[in-house]
């Protein structure tokens, strides 16, 4: 079989597998659109989400939930009622089942799962959280989770579309793709890109989440991201969506969902996508074949889920990154966003996941739960680099020395948890208690060979790149490089007083970190670390009014020390784990159809630096202080919106160079804004317009604070139209333009940079069957 034939087979694997999903829908498929084809239909009106079950109490008394689970605008006369859904998991001891209902406007949910704290309302949470819905993801035509998360001003990307991975920055600290959770567990979703097609909810927690989610594999301290997978909906449906994206990238999505049984207790859902074409890099190509199968069972006491995901990406001329010399007199202008200054690079990424979770109601107030999953990830790439021949990257004119390398790697990850959740009263105090054990193990290995040992490097320029040096034939042999085991035991209790007007959360997690590193050639143990630490949490919510929540928290984060990679002189060393600390206070106000939040926070953590000898080490301290403002909901009937602003001071409080004390950290902007509107055009049923503005202030090239990158603004617009006139079933046409003005700008973490995505056109037509 030829390479071309292999590519074609992979490209259409999603479509071929989809025949099975189409059969699930059968002749009995309902015309009701699972994700609300009518764009002006609001979520169902309800007051006080019903409790899942009667709580066990020492003193029998009647309690009502003071926090309203859903606040939405009164339904307009011309709006159709949404189908009735089972009771939400929010506020119960369950997390498997129907997620928290959407808030007014449908773009954001009223709550979400929060690790150790369970499924809870935003207004009852002593943290800053946002829960994006699949409705928003679809209407903005996101390709990965990153395309949705930038709706929050506290989240920015340091990598661009069609790059190696999605690396986030939350509250000024990096969050790597490997730190994105999947249904509450780390390590089970692709560490490169999370495809939007498999996502029901994106749950964003801002601030350290060590107690809530456990220690993050990549050392995240700025926030946590959790992906909630799609499950079978109440109404069966099948949907076929052909799409086109500039330049000349096209493909097909297929979704199918159906429930079986007398009480619809069994559910099956399939989501698949196949794409091919140039995408955002001139002369490049992005091929994808992804399939996700979800099964679930919901009985009277027992609930079970299973997810199987296969994700395959092949990218030719993927989006490059390079280093700019820290001593340049001025920063070079960014080259064209469609260019690749490492021509001829290739990237192949493979991810396969199988995961399952189970919950059982032992009593009407106690639920036992467990989850486990396995993921195997592999990548092959050309890892070209701009640091060669005595130059530490590009100069002010974009000149640099490029060398070529093969960098292939694999990971094998097992992740799981087991625990008990309980709700009970002791006198006038209500308790929500969770006791949990989590475990995570990942074996990692890689193979690396560069042109420096054979053909050397070439002089190049970001505006006129040279061909990369040739590499020896054949891929490098991969050897085991590290084995990491993270385990923890945790307990939390949310105490509720005065009919839920005061909620006090306390908890602690004792975490054990064991890391071993190995020689790639001999397999011998080259470094080891075995440590334990306890991270506490305390949070309080006070409701002076029914719709107002004042909150504060103190949280600590624990990050495992990383195994130093091949570009440093202390390659193979294992750095010690480190702690970060957060203090935060804020106010949330639910005005009925609009929710506003304001928060002030401070996060401190050790800084990672490259020493004079080229070694990676932790030295000094960075303290990020900030203010966050956020608003979302239904502004007027048919007009949905969200807006956020973040003001940040990323200060070096204890730098290695004492003259830099008080300077800003490199690559961290001090102001960011995001805002978007979605409007149902009056008089044209099913027609809607949307737009989004993203602004990011300039950040410093180095901690010396001598040069600053320019600020940048990106504008996105879109339109959609839903009709039943063509087939008798809903058909939704969507058209979006991202970066309308074609702005060229740097995405940076300091001296390490890439360019933002170019102007991008996205067209699709979703046909329901």
């Amino acid at each position: 079989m030829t390479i071309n034939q292999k590519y074609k087979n992979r490209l259409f694997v999603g479509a071929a597998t989809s025949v099975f999903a189409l059969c699930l829908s059968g002749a009995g498929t309902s015309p009701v659109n699972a994700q609300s084809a009518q764009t002006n239909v609001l979520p169902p009106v309800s007051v006080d989400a019903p409790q899942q079950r009667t709580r066990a109490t020492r003193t029998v008394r009647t309690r009502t939930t003071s926090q309203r689970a859903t606040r939405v605008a009164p339904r307009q006369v011309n709006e159709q009622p949404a189908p009735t859904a089972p009771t939400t998991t929010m506020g119960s001891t369950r997390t498997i089942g129907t997620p928290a209902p959407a808030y007014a406007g449908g773009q954001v949910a009223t709550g979400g799962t929060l690790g150790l704290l369970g499924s809870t309302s935003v207004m009852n949470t002593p943290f800053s959280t946002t829960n994006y819905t699949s409705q928003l993801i679809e209407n903005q035509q996101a390709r990965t989770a990153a395309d949705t998360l930038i709706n929050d001003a506290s989240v920015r990307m340091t990598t661009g579309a069609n790059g190696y991975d999605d690396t986030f920055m939350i509250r000024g600290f990096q969050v790597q793709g490997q730190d994105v959770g999947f249904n509450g567990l780390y390590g089970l979703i692709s560490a490169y890109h999370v495809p939007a097609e498999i996502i029901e909810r994106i749950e964003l927690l801002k601030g350290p989440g060590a107690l809530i989610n456990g220690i993050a594999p990549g050392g995240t301290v700025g926030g946590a991201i959790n992906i909630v997978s799609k499950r079978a909906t109440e109404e069966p449906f099948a949907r076929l969506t052909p799409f086109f994206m500039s330049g000349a990238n096209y493909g097909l999505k297929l979704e199918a969902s159906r429930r079986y049984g007398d009480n619809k207790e069994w559910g099956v859902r399939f989501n698949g996508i196949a794409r091919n074409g140039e995408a955002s890099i001139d002369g490049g190509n992005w091929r994808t074949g992804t399939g996700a199968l979800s099964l679930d069972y919901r009985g009277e006491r027992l609930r079970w889920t299973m997810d199987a995901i296969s994700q395959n990406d092949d990218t030719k001329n993927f989006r490059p990154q390079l280093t700019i010399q820290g001593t340049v007199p001025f920063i070079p202008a960014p080259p064209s966003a469609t260019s690749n200054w490492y021509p001829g690079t290739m990237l192949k990424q493979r991810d396969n996941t199988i995961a399952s979770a189970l919950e059982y109601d032992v009593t009407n107030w106690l639920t036992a739960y467990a989850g486990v999953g396995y993921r195997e990830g592999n990548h092959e790439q050309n890892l070209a680099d701009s640091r060669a021949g005595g130059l530490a990257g590009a100069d002010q004119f974009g000149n640099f020395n490029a060398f070529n390398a093969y960098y292939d790697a694999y990971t094998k990850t097992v992740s799981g948890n087991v625990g008990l959740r309980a709700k009970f009263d002791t006198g006038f105090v209500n308790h929500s208690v969770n006791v949990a054990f989590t475990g995570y193990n990942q074996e990692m290995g890689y193979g690396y060979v560069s042109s420096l040992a054979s053909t050397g490097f070439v002089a190049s320029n970001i505006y006129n790149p040279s061909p990369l040096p040739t590499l020896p034939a054949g891929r490098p042999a991969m050897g085991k490089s590290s084995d990491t085991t993270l385990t923890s035991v945790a307990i939390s209790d949310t105490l509720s007083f005065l009919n839920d007007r005061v909620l006090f959360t306390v908890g602690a997690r004792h975490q054990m970190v064991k890391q071993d590193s190995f020689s790639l050639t001999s397999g011998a143990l080259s470094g080891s670390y075995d440590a334990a630490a306890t991270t506490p949490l305390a949070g309080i919510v006070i409701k002076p009014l029914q719709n107002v929540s004042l909150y504060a928290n103190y949280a600590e984060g624990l990050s495992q020390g990383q195994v130093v990679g091949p570009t440093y002189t202390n390659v193979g060393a294992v750095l010690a784990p480190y702690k970060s600390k957060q203090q935060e206070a804020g106010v949330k106000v639910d005005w009925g159809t609009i929710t506003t939040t304001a928060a002030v926070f401070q996060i401190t953590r050790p800084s990672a630096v490259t020493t004079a000898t080229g070694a990676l080490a932790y030295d000094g301290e960075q303290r990020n202080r900030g203010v966050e403002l956020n608003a979302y909901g239904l502004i007027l009937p048919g007009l949905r919106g969200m807006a956020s602003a973040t003001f940040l001071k990323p200060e070096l409080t204890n730098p290695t160079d004492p003259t830099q004390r008080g300077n800003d950290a490199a690559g961290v902007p001090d102001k960011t804004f995001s805002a978007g509107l979605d409007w149902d055009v009056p008089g044209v049923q099913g027609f809607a317009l949307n737009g989004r503005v993203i602004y990011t202030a300039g950040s410093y090239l180095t901690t010396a604070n001598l040069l600053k990158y320019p600020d940048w603004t990106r504008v996105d617009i879109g339109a959609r139209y839903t009709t039943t006139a063509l087939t008798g079933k809903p058909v939704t046409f969507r058209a979006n333009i991202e970066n309308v003005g074609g702005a060229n700008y740097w995405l940076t973490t300091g001296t390490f940079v890439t360019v933002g995505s170019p102007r991008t056109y996205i067209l699709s037509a979703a046909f329901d069957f």
Side-chain angles (χ1 to χ4, degrees):
M1 181 179 290
T2 66
I3 293 177
N4 187 51
Q5 287 173 322
K6 290 181 180 179
Y7 280 148
K8 288 182 178 179
N9 289 343
R10 187 180 302 117
L11 172 65
F12 294 107
V13 66
T17 310
S18 300
V19 175
F20 167 73
L22 279 170
C23 294
L24 293 175
S25 302
T29 301
S30 168
V32 178
N33 188 339
Q35 298 298 332
S36 185
Q38 298 296 329
T39 57
N40 61 347
V41 176
L42 298 180
V45 176
S46 64
V47 178
D48 295 332
Q51 298 295 316
Q52 176 206 3
R53 57 181 78 87
T54 305
R55 295 168 176 163
T57 60
R58 293 184 180 180
T59 303
V60 177
R61 58 194 175 91
T62 302
R63 293 181 68 94
T64 60
T65 304
S66 63
Q67 174 59 41
R68 291 183 297 167
T70 304
R71 297 176 176 87
V72 298
R75 185 178 290 117
Q76 302 302 306
V77 175
N78 62 342
E79 291 174 343
Q80 302 173 2
T84 302
T87 303
T88 174
T89 58
M90 191 171 68
S92 72
T93 56
R94 299 177 292 118
T95 58
I96 297 177
T98 303
Y103 187 71
Q107 298 179 318
V108 176
T110 57
T113 55
L114 204 58
L116 196 65
L117 303 186
S119 182
T120 183
S121 163
V122 167
M123 299 296 287
N124 287 349
T125 303
F127 298 96
S128 181
T129 63
T130 308
N131 305 278
Y132 295 110
T133 66
S134 57
Q135 174 181 313
L136 176 69
I137 295 170
E138 291 172 359
N139 288 337
Q140 291 184 340
Q141 298 209 80
R143 279 78 67 206
T144 71
D147 298 319
T148 298
L149 284 162
I150 56 174
N151 286 292
D152 193 297
S154 288
V155 182
R156 284 297 180 261
M157 302 302 300
T158 63
T159 53
N162 299 127
Y164 173 75
D165 67 355
D166 289 335
T167 300
F168 308 90
M169 183 180 288
I170 303 177
R171 287 186 170 176
F173 292 111
Q174 278 202 48
V175 177
Q176 301 177 41
Q178 63 179 316
D179 288 349
V180 176
F182 181 65
N183 293 327
L185 294 175
Y186 285 125
L188 299 183
I189 198 70
S190 173
Y192 314 119
H193 309 277
V194 182
E197 290 75 24
I198 72 171
I199 303 173
E200 180 62 34
R201 294 282 167 86
I202 303 177
E203 299 174 336
L204 171 65
L205 165 69
K206 287 172 275 189
L211 172 79
I212 292 174
N213 298 296
I215 184 171
T220 291
V221 300
I225 300 166
N226 183 55
I227 301 299
V228 179
S229 59
K230 290 182 176 179
R231 302 277 178 230
T233 56
E234 292 305 297
E235 298 296 334
F237 76 96
R239 183 176 303 125
L240 194 64
T241 307
F243 64 87
F244 172 87
M245 184 179 78
S246 59
N249 188 270
Y250 56 91
L252 190 68
K253 304 177 188 178
L254 185 111
E255 303 175 67
S257 172
R258 191 173 181 87
R259 303 203 69 87
Y260 299 90
D262 294 339
N263 298 307
K264 296 185 178 181
E265 57 268 30
W266 292 96
V268 182
R269 176 132 186 194
F270 177 84
N271 288 84
I273 178 173
R275 71 165 70 241
N276 188 18
E278 185 176 82
S280 64
I281 302 293
D282 289 339
N285 198 78
W286 178 25
R287 297 182 179 93
T288 292
T290 297
L293 179 65
S294 170
L295 308 177
D296 74 276
Y297 172 82
R298 58 187 194 201
E300 184 177 352
R301 289 187 175 271
L302 178 69
R303 294 167 298 280
W304 168 81
T305 66
M306 191 276 287
D307 290 279
I309 304 170
S310 180
Q311 183 176 339
N312 304 277
D313 291 291
D314 290 317
T315 309
K316 175 185 176 184
N317 284 324
F318 62 95
R319 187 163 300 282
Q321 295 174 302
L322 90 166
T323 300
I324 295 177
Q325 299 173 23
T327 56
V328 294
F330 57 87
I331 297 173
S336 168
T338 62
S339 66
N340 177 19
W341 49 77
Y342 302 132
T345 51
M346 298 288 292
L347 176 61
K348 180 186 293 185
Q349 297 169 324
R350 301 287 181 267
D351 269 291
N352 293 286
T353 296
I354 183 76
S356 185
L358 182 143
E359 289 182 343
Y360 181 74
D361 298 333
V362 181
T363 69
N364 62 353
W365 56 273
L366 177 67
T367 297
Y369 65 91
V372 67
Y374 174 78
R375 180 182 68 86
E376 191 168 298
N378 294 272
H379 78 248
E380 296 178 1
Q381 69 164 324
N382 290 93
L383 182 64
D385 202 301
S386 60
R387 295 164 291 184
L391 296 181
D395 65 13
Q396 64 271 27
F397 303 110
N399 299 308
F400 65 95
N401 290 333
F403 70 92
N404 201 0
Y406 285 141
Y407 178 46
D408 300 346
Y410 74 88
T411 56
K412 297 178 180 179
T413 307
V414 178
S415 186
N417 62 9
V418 62
L420 294 169
R421 299 188 197 95
K423 282 183 172 291
F424 57 89
D425 292 345
T426 56
F428 62 90
V429 181
N430 173 247
H431 298 265
S432 295
V433 175
N434 194 352
V435 180
F437 170 84
T438 63
Y440 170 97
N441 177 262
Q442 183 176 85
E443 176 188 327
M444 180 183 296
Y446 69 89
Y448 179 83
V449 60
S450 79
S451 63
L452 293 177
S454 53
T455 54
F457 60 87
V458 298
S460 191
N461 185 278
I462 58 176
Y463 311 112
N464 185 26
S466 302
L468 291 172
T470 58
L471 285 165
R475 308 298 302 189
M478 289 192 288
K480 181 178 178 180
S481 62
S482 66
D483 191 285
T484 302
T485 300
L486 311 174
T487 55
S488 71
V489 289
I491 184 170
S492 71
D493 186 6
T494 297
L495 299 86
S496 174
F497 307 88
L498 303 176
N499 199 26
D500 290 346
R501 287 301 183 98
V502 178
L503 298 100
F504 181 55
T505 300
V506 292
R509 186 183 292 268
H510 185 69
Q511 303 183 105
M512 288 73 74
V513 182
K514 187 178 188 305
Q515 288 181 278
D516 296 324
S517 63
F518 301 88
S519 167
L520 294 179
T521 54
S522 67
L525 184 68
S526 59
S528 184
Y529 196 94
D530 195 344
T534 300
T535 52
L537 175 144
I540 189 169
V541 176
I542 300 174
K543 299 178 181 177
L545 298 173
Q546 184 75 11
N547 65 321
V548 177
S549 294
L550 308 176
Y551 75 94
N553 68 67
Y554 171 81
E556 291 187 2
L558 181 65
S559 303
Q560 64 160 320
Q562 68 187 83
V563 178
V564 180
T567 57
Y568 298 94
T569 56
N570 58 335
V571 56
V574 182
L575 304 183
Y578 59 87
K579 281 189 176 182
S580 59
K581 299 178 181 180
Q582 172 180 275
Q583 299 86 38
E584 179 181 1
V587 57
K588 307 173 186 179
V589 182
D590 186 341
W591 303 91
T593 61
I594 296 175
T595 290
T596 57
T597 68
V600 294
F601 63 88
Q602 172 181 290
I603 305 175
T604 58
R605 56 153 278 182
S607 299
V609 298
T610 302
T611 67
T613 61
L616 183 67
Y618 296 123
D619 197 0
E621 182 184 77
Q622 178 180 336
R623 180 183 66 198
N624 288 6
R625 286 177 169 170
V627 177
E628 292 172 337
L629 305 173
N630 194 23
Y632 57 82
L634 194 69
I635 303 170
L636 295 169
L639 180 62
R640 298 159 287 279
M642 56 178 64
S644 58
T646 299
F647 304 91
L648 194 64
K649 173 61 177 174
E651 184 177 358
L652 302 176
T653 55
N654 185 25
T656 53
D657 181 353
T659 65
Q660 295 182 3
R661 187 182 301 275
N663 283 6
D664 283 3
V668 183
D670 59 0
K671 294 184 292 293
T672 51
F673 306 101
S674 295
L677 291 173
D678 191 288
W679 178 49
D680 295 332
V681 177
V684 186
Q685 182 71 22
F687 183 54
L689 302 173
N690 62 74
R692 177 171 65 177
V693 178
I694 301 166
Y695 169 81
T696 301
S699 59
Y700 285 106
L701 172 69
T702 68
T703 54
N705 288 185
L706 299 177
L707 292 176
K708 215 172 191 181
Y709 292 96
D711 60 355
W712 56 269
T713 302
R714 181 182 124 185
V715 177
D716 304 337
I717 60 174
R720 67 182 178 275
Y721 178 63
T722 300
T723 179
T724 58
L726 298 178
T727 64
K729 305 287 181 66
V731 178
T732 301
F733 300 93
R734 293 183 175 93
N736 292 75
I737 307 175
E738 296 178 351
N739 193 5
V740 173
N744 264 4
Y745 53 89
W746 289 116
L747 295 176
T748 176
T749 57
T751 59
F752 203 58
V753 298
T754 186
V755 288
S757 302
R759 182 188 297 112
T760 303
Y761 302 91
I762 313 161
L763 304 172
S764 69
F767 295 87
D768 280 24
F769 297 94

